[in-house]
Amino acid sequence: MMKWAVPLAVGLLVLLAWVFSTETGLVGSWVLPSPSKVGDRLVGGFADGYLLSATLQTLNEALLGCVVAAGLGVPLGFSLAHSRLLSAAVQPYLAASQAIPAVAIAPMLVLWVGYGTTPIVALCTIMVIFPIIINTTVGVRGIDPDLIGAARLDGAGSFRLLAMIELPLAAPNIIAGLRNGFTLSITGAVVGEMVIGGRDGLGILLVGAQALNDLAGMFAAISILALCAITIYVILLIMENRAVEAVSER
């Protein structure tokens, strides 16, 4: 209970400081809109439907990117864990890929696959796949070799070993990679919408609000992004903790 109370208390303190600084005039409205103005914008935007539509579009892009990254990253992580040669050959390039800014990749994706949802999903995949690969590799390599050896002596083949031993024991690390990756995927979706463009999405709303100097609108979109990221993070953290408990009971 304590581990949830601390972040909630910190969030409440930040909110109180925000209210105090804006309502007392300590910080001007051109610098920081008041929580009441942001709240009104949120209520009105969801009532009109455009905030819900934009949120669902951004989450859809982020989810698709995360699913594709998991579909590619988890098998590659297992391959790297089992092959030192492949790991030595691939990992330096995986690390180098993280030094390339997302805003630099987005225009190239437009040239390669065109406009729309596809390049945004591709950008999310590129941003998410690295932590999934690394966490999967670490999780598989962390399995006790004696346990693997005992399973092989009992006649476990490669598929059974993967399904019954490696995947369950590496699950906490894999979920941790997904947890970190999904938050990156949301960032990738917003960056993609802002750079590549699209018909909808929170990134499009941010660009529009910036053009109109609508600070409250920008904070409303950012608040939704933060809430989505926190919610997904907490859900996957709970799943990770349950996976750890399941592994400890084995």
Side-chain angles (χ1 to χ4, degrees):
M1 187 67 181
M2 186 65 180
K3 67 179 181 180
W4 300 113
V6 172
L8 287 174
V10 172
L12 181 60
L13 287 174
V14 171
L15 180 60
L16 290 174
W18 183 8
V19 172
F20 175 80
S21 61
T22 54
E23 296 297 338
T24 60
L26 186 64
V27 178
S29 60
W30 64 91
V31 176
L32 187 66
S34 66
S36 58
K37 288 183 179 179
V38 176
D40 290 341
R41 187 59 58 87
L42 287 170
V43 172
F46 278 108
D48 294 338
Y50 71 87
L51 274 182
L52 178 61
S53 175
T55 302
L56 292 177
Q57 176 66 23
T58 298
L59 287 177
N60 179 60
E61 294 160 352
L63 178 60
L64 286 174
C66 205
V67 169
V68 174
L72 297 173
V74 172
L76 183 55
F78 272 88
S79 300
L80 294 179
H82 288 293
S83 174
R84 297 288 179 178
L85 179 61
L86 181 62
S87 177
V90 172
Q91 282 192 337
Y93 298 102
L94 287 174
S97 69
Q98 299 306 293
I100 303 174
V103 292
I105 300 174
M108 293 188 291
L109 291 174
V110 173
L111 295 176
W112 293 334
V113 298
Y115 290 92
T117 301
T118 303
I120 298 175
V121 172
L123 182 63
C124 294
T125 302
I126 292 170
M127 294 184 66
V128 169
I129 196 168
F130 182 77
I132 293 178
I133 292 173
I134 296 302
N135 278 59
T136 302
T137 303
V138 171
V140 176
R141 286 181 177 171
I143 298 173
D144 188 353
D146 293 336
L147 182 62
I148 300 295
R152 290 191 185 279
L153 287 175
D154 288 339
S158 298
F159 179 77
R160 186 179 176 187
L161 190 66
L162 172 65
M164 302 299 293
I165 303 295
E166 292 182 333
L167 190 58
L169 292 180
N173 291 78
I174 295 173
I175 296 174
L178 291 172
R179 172 165 53 85
N180 295 325
F182 207 115
T183 54
L184 288 174
S185 188
I186 293 176
T187 302
V190 174
V191 170
E193 290 164 356
M194 297 177 74
V195 177
I196 297 171
R199 293 174 297 177
D200 204 354
L202 293 172
I204 301 297
L205 291 183
L206 279 170
V207 171
Q210 181 186 22
L212 297 173
N213 293 322
D214 182 8
L215 201 57
M218 295 177 69
F219 267 79
I222 292 171
S223 298
I224 296 171
L225 288 171
L227 182 60
C228 289
I230 291 172
T231 301
I232 295 166
Y233 184 91
V234 170
I235 291 173
L236 290 174
L237 181 61
I238 293 172
M239 292 175 61
E240 180 186 343
N241 290 335
R242 290 183 177 179
V244 170
E245 292 174 0
V247 168
S248 63
E249 293 173 357
R250 291 177 68 89

